[in-house]
Amino acid sequence: MGLKIWLDGKLVDEADAKVSVFDHGLLYGDGVFEGIRVYEGRVFELEAHIRRLYESARMIRLEIPLDKGELGGAMKKTVEANGITDGYIRLVVTRGVGTLGLNPLVCEKSGLIIIADQIQPYAEELYETGIKVISATTVRNHPLALGAQLKSLNYLNNIIARLEALDSGAAEAIMYNHEGYVAEATVENVFIVRDGVIYTPPVAAGALEGITRNLVIRLAKEENLEVVEKNLTRYDLYICNEFFLTGTAAEVIGVVEIDGRTVGDGKPGPITKRLRERFFEYAHSSGK
Ligand code: PMP
């Protein structure tokens, strides 16, 4: 049996969950989205995700057809209808049906899709062994062109970088900004540890303000670890003691190789492991 999908105000069978070929979400990537986790039946960090979604929509002058409370309710209904206790929600708002022209003002009603399903971003053993990454040659979108804080349906910049990673047998690509500073991975934020201090690039370097990022910073501080937001270079990534990525799907995952060079001693480090544990505990107790 297929999934039940929330589409424009009601739950429909997966086979009937179809959008128009004239939806500008498809024609132009005109829309915004969120990826959200469900742990033990509870929607994780719901408010933060809803806030970011509405801010991204506001940035592109896109009207979300439901208010924040209704949207939360629609997500919960979709999760329940699919019996998801531990899974993932994909929330997509498209510009809606228009004509074969860029003009978004002809699209009268935005489209809303909610999918609740299982995900497995990385194989379980990679959380033990850590992943390999490469430095992408594809430069992160210039912030004056398309700011990374806007979580839009345009992921081509990141997709091209991800292809570079896959071509060289790596799981992820690290993207640098137009000035050569580390921005983020294609769907995760970047953290390194050097001499016991945690460093992560500032959002202004071209990183999405990850909800997992913000949470991990908070959890690290609760562990009395120092966290510094500062511009990082390739040098910093090559000489660090620990390296990890954070994201809704990946949670906290160690990086053990970059551009063929071993990170630290080649295994996820103690701070990475500790923060992964703390994240797990928090995710499974939050909202209880
Ligand atoms: N950067 C990009 C480009 C992303 O798509 C994501 C995933 N949403 C992240 C970082 C991590 O953000 P979050 O922790 O909110 O999932």
Side-chain angles (χ1 to χ4, degrees):
M1 223 189 62
L3 295 171
K4 292 277 184 200
I5 312 288
W6 184 278
L7 182 65
D8 298 332
K10 55 180 188 301
L11 284 164
V12 299
D13 287 335
E14 182 182 324
D16 301 321
K18 302 209 168 109
V19 295
S20 165
V21 294
F22 288 100
D23 192 312
H24 280 204
L26 174 68
L27 289 176
Y28 298 110
D30 186 350
V32 295
F33 79 101
E34 278 296 323
I36 307 166
R37 279 306 265 268
V38 179
Y39 293 111
E40 299 183 20
R42 295 181 301 274
V43 181
F44 187 55
E45 297 289 273
L46 176 65
E47 270 167 41
H49 283 284
I50 285 192
R51 181 182 171 159
R52 188 168 68 185
L53 182 79
Y54 277 79
E55 286 180 355
S56 286
R58 182 170 183 164
M59 176 64 195
I60 64 165
R61 291 169 55 190
L62 172 67
E63 186 101 20
I64 297 181
L66 301 181
D67 69 28
K68 292 180 180 175
E70 291 168 334
L71 190 58
M75 284 161 62
K76 284 180 186 143
K77 273 190 197 148
T78 312
V79 166
E80 280 164 19
N82 291 287
I84 303 285
T85 47
D86 288 278
Y88 180 86
I89 302 169
R90 172 56 54 89
L91 188 57
V92 184
V93 188
T94 70
R95 186 71 70 175
V97 175
T99 53
L100 289 178
L102 196 71
N103 182 1
L105 302 178
V106 302
C107 305
E108 282 180 7
K109 203 169 152 292
S110 45
L112 175 64
I113 301 162
I114 306 172
I115 306 168
D117 201 357
Q118 310 292 336
I119 46 154
Q120 199 190 13
Y122 294 107
E124 198 51 45
E125 67 264 21
L126 290 176
Y127 288 92
E128 298 302 321
T129 59
I131 60 167
K132 292 181 189 178
V133 302
I134 53 123
S135 293
T137 60
T138 308
V139 172
R140 189 79 182 97
N141 281 336
H142 194 294
L144 296 180
L146 198 64
Q149 278 168 281
L150 167 58
K151 198 162 166 58
S152 82
L153 296 182
N154 275 280
Y155 259 58
L156 284 175
N157 187 209
N158 311 43
I159 289 166
I160 296 168
R162 177 68 73 83
L163 283 173
E164 289 187 54
L166 298 174
D167 283 347
S168 48
E172 251 292 16
I174 304 303
M175 302 184 75
Y176 297 78
N177 68 19
H178 60 288
E179 292 178 310
Y181 294 117
V182 177
E184 58 183 342
T186 67
V187 288
E188 292 105 9
N189 290 107
V190 170
F191 286 81
I192 58 166
V193 180
R194 188 184 183 192
D195 297 336
V197 178
I198 301 172
Y199 297 92
T200 191
V203 170
L208 179 76
E209 189 172 349
I211 288 162
T212 322
R213 170 191 186 272
N214 289 352
L215 178 61
V216 164
I217 292 174
R218 212 176 82 210
L219 296 173
K221 288 182 177 165
E222 283 172 17
E223 295 286 292
N224 291 321
L225 292 162
E226 192 184 343
V227 184
V228 179
E229 291 187 45
K230 97 178 182 47
N231 274 328
L232 301 176
T233 62
R234 189 184 294 226
Y235 175 89
D236 296 313
L237 305 188
Y238 283 2
I239 58 93
C240 68
N241 311 121
E242 294 187 40
F243 189 159
F244 61 92
L245 304 177
T246 66
T248 292
E251 302 173 330
V252 179
I253 190 158
V255 174
V256 291
E257 189 182 306
I258 174 161
D259 300 335
R261 293 156 177 258
T262 302
V263 175
D265 63 2
K267 296 198 276 293
I271 291 181
T272 305
K273 281 192 186 156
R274 180 76 194 122
L275 290 173
R276 176 156 176 78
E277 278 165 23
R278 283 294 297 121
F279 176 85
F280 184 89
E281 286 161 14
Y282 182 85
H284 288 267
S285 63
S286 138
K288 248 188 187 161

